[in-house]
Amino acid sequence: MPLWPVYTGTSAPHDGIAQLPPPPPWRAFDGGPLLDPPEAAADRSAVSPDRVHRAETYRATEDTVQLVNAALYLRRPLLVTGPPGTGKSSLVYAVARELRLGPVLRWNITSRSTLHDGLYSYDPLSRLYAARQQAAQQAAPQETGPEETGPGTPDETGIEHHLRLGPLGTALLPYARPRALLIDEIDKSDLDLPNDLLNVLEEGQYQIPELVRAARLSPDGTARVPADGTGEAVPVVRGQVRCRAFPFVVLTSNGEREFPPAFLRRCVTLRLRRPDDGHLADIVRAHLGEPDAYAQELIGRFLDRTSAGDLATDQLLNAIYLARTSNLDSGSLDRLAEQLMPHLGQGAGTDVF
């Protein structure tokens, strides 16, 4: 496997991101003030055992390594397509772990997702409630204690207290090194979302209109807004957010729809294929240890069945795990494996194991 100096696919953490060459002139960004990226443990959900396991056990192909590096070098999003269960969403966790990019930001797409959801959220009702509470306390100071009405009482009516950056909005903050962002199942979105993403991902910046208006009343125009994941308050100057290091953005798709050409030309596209027997054995070895004779038999059956319909790699892993832990006889194991590995799509033809 040819090794680029940045992502190697070997899963061993290193600081190769520091060897990333300068961006192409048309992909250079100068956002500020410069922020230090958070540590991986700063977001508890990002270091949950399942996500850590996915990052440690991902096995990248040669094409995957090449195209991940192409996306990193070009500062372009990586669009990952392929059948279910081929590791599309696990890839970003593996890259973030190896390159020490900090906790992965995740945006799960639904048919109701909008660009605004990914950038930031604003709760005007909570701000109105805070303003009413403050007004009531000021009107009746005798009914409140000194700790509630003293000069040190925090003002919760500021708009920044009722804003929160979304995963995309956080990824585009001016961090010193790229953040990793997963935009999962983009093909489930409304038809307009890919086009709506074009300008933000091309320009590496966005605006928060509520903070633009509020900046007129602030001496330096700076508001501190909670970031996604860690909740750390980060500075936003005059409502403008612009990245410094373009984030490593992975968009996944099951191939259920076509995307507009303008969207595709702004992405590096990686098409994951079903793993062959050697790659499957590597995946089993990474998750469950050296495959025994029965595991090798199940790998062969799994590959035979993929010609008749879609199967996901985790179906095979489930069957091998239970074969090792259930103490069933061979006949029962075969029946269980058949039940655990049904074809996923229509038109499978036959489900005979």
Side-chain angles (χ1 to χ4, degrees):
M1 178 184 294
L3 299 180
W4 291 44
V6 183
Y7 176 62
T8 66
T10 58
S11 79
H14 58 80
D15 290 317
I17 196 67
Q19 301 178 31
L20 195 65
W26 56 91
R27 298 296 294 164
F29 304 98
D30 59 355
L34 194 64
L35 301 175
D36 292 326
E39 297 293 331
D43 182 356
R44 294 185 62 185
S45 65
V47 293
S48 61
D50 59 318
R51 294 187 180 183
V52 172
H53 179 79
R54 291 165 67 183
E56 292 175 343
T57 58
Y58 186 82
R59 292 298 178 262
T61 65
E62 181 177 336
D63 285 348
T64 299
V65 172
Q66 299 279 15
L67 290 173
V68 165
N69 280 291
L72 288 168
Y73 274 56
L74 294 172
R75 277 67 169 184
R76 290 290 187 186
L78 182 68
L79 175 62
V80 185
T81 67
T86 50
K88 297 185 294 295
S89 59
S90 297
L91 170 60
V92 67
Y93 293 100
V95 175
R97 177 179 181 272
E98 180 180 323
L99 299 182
R100 296 175 173 154
L101 301 183
V104 173
L105 299 157
R106 180 167 185 148
W107 183 16
N108 296 312
I109 300 299
T110 71
S111 60
R112 298 180 299 277
S113 298
T114 66
L115 177 62
H116 189 280
D117 298 330
L119 293 176
Y120 71 96
S121 60
Y122 169 52
D123 187 351
L125 292 180
S126 70
R127 189 183 183 200
L128 178 61
Y129 178 73
R132 286 180 173 176
Q133 270 198 322
Q134 186 181 67
Q137 290 174 357
Q138 291 173 347
Q142 69 278 9
E143 298 178 9
T144 60
E147 71 279 359
E148 296 178 284
T149 58
T153 303
D155 181 4
E156 296 290 340
T157 62
I159 195 168
E160 66 271 16
H161 297 293
H162 309 279
L163 274 165
R164 187 179 184 90
L165 300 183
L168 175 58
T170 299
L172 291 173
L173 287 168
Y175 287 112
R177 61 168 54 192
R179 292 294 305 271
L181 169 66
L182 172 63
I183 303 178
D184 203 22
E185 299 190 323
I186 184 69
D187 46 356
K188 286 185 177 179
S189 72
D190 178 86
L191 291 174
D192 292 331
L193 182 58
N195 283 323
D196 293 342
L197 283 168
L198 287 180
N199 186 64
V200 172
L201 294 178
E202 185 67 16
E203 300 296 328
Q205 64 183 2
Y206 64 98
Q207 187 180 82
I208 302 176
E210 294 87 347
L211 291 182
V212 174
R213 292 190 293 269
R216 303 168 190 159
L217 306 176
S218 173
D220 60 358
T222 300
R224 300 191 67 85
V225 183
D228 185 68
T230 63
E232 176 190 7
V234 294
V236 176
V237 181
R238 304 196 184 283
Q240 308 288 335
V241 177
R242 179 172 170 83
C243 69
R244 176 71 66 90
F246 189 78
F248 176 61
V249 181
V250 173
L251 306 102
T252 69
S253 167
N254 289 324
E256 297 175 358
R257 61 181 277 194
E258 294 184 358
F259 297 104
F263 176 78
L264 292 174
R265 78 175 179 84
R266 288 172 169 84
C267 298
V268 174
T269 301
L270 168 63
R271 294 178 176 85
L272 296 181
R273 309 189 186 281
R274 294 188 182 97
D276 58 21
D277 55 349
H279 193 192
L280 275 177
D282 286 342
I283 293 171
V284 171
R285 191 174 296 111
H287 285 272
L288 299 170
E290 192 66 33
D292 56 20
Y294 189 71
Q296 293 284 4
E297 182 181 337
L298 285 179
I299 291 173
R301 295 184 189 182
F302 178 87
L303 289 170
D304 290 342
R305 285 166 57 77
T306 56
S307 61
D310 285 339
L311 292 172
T313 306
D314 56 354
Q315 293 174 283
L316 173 64
L317 294 173
N318 290 339
I320 294 175
Y321 172 79
L322 287 178
R324 291 185 174 184
T325 58
S326 61
N327 296 319
L328 296 174
D329 58 66
S330 59
S332 299
L333 285 176
D334 286 345
R335 288 191 296 273
L336 179 61
E338 179 179 356
Q339 294 169 333
L340 289 172
M341 294 195 291
H343 289 113
L344 301 177
Q346 297 295 324
T350 179
D351 239 6
V352 177
F353 195 68

